């Protein structure tokens, strides 16, 4: 499978194409055929070597936290109805810059009809943050 590796810390030139083994869905995981990957400010910080906090980043590795695409394979204990769905998901931190990615079922969100996978993937991180903020602040009609 084709992937993009972070070979060392630096500018965009440290991202190079390569190959990696196919992902296998573990318990409560699915494999997504990746159509779109989001690139956030945190991704650029990781690439540069300036990521905040305790992120365990050690090149070479496959970056990418947000992906969108179609569920193509199911791990044990996964609802068969998920196969074939258009979804977006967090990979859990890394592994998204790839043709396929294994992700936890709990990280999936179905892409609504009428919305493209690319657009849904683009708002994955910020949309999740906005949703958490609305819930945390108990916004009500009229606020």
């Amino acid at each position: 499978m084709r992937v993009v590796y972070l070979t060392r810390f630096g500018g965009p030139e440290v991202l190079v194409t390569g190959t990696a083994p196919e992902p296998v869905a573990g318990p409560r995981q699915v494999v997504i055929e990746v159509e779109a990957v989001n690139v956030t400010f945190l991704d650029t910080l990781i690439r540069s070597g300036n990521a905040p906090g305790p992120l365990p980043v050690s090149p070479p590795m496959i970056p990418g936290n947000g992906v969108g695409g179609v569920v193509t394979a199911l791990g044990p204990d996964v609802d068969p109805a998920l196969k074939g769905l258009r979804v977006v998901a967090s990979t859990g931190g890394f592994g998204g810059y790839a043709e396929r990615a294994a992700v936890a079922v709990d990280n999936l969100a179905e892409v609504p009809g009428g919305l493209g996978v690319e657009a849904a993937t683009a708002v994955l991180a910020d949309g999740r943050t906005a949703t958490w903020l609305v819930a945390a602040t108990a916004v009500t009609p009229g606020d």
Side-chain angles (χ1 to χ4, degrees), residues 20-38:
E22 291 288 334
V24 176
R28 304 280 306 141
Q29 288 186 325
V30 300
V31 172
I32 297 174
E33 183 78 24
V34 176
E35 296 175 18
V37 179
N38 68 8

Side-chain angles (χ1 to χ4, degrees), residues 12 50 74 88 93 123 143:
N50 294 314
L74 310 173
V88 293
V123 299
D143 287 346

Side-chain angles (χ1 to χ4, degrees), residues 46-118:
I46 290 169
R47 187 202 68 229
S48 70
N50 294 314
L55 292 172
V57 179
S58 179
M61 49 83 74
I62 302 168
N65 183 46
V67 298
V70 175
V71 174
T72 58
L74 310 173
D77 303 319
V78 174
D79 183 350
L82 292 177
K83 193 164 188 179
L85 282 183
R86 292 178 335 126
V87 298
V88 293
S90 168
T91 63
F94 309 103
Y97 291 12
E99 290 183 296
R100 284 167 288 288
V103 301
V105 170
D106 294 340
N107 292 349
L108 296 178
E110 185 174 359
V111 176
L115 182 63
V117 169
E118 297 87 359

Side-chain angles (χ1 to χ4, degrees), residues 122-132:
V123 299
L124 175 62
D126 292 336
R128 183 176 49 219
T129 300
T131 301
W132 289 337

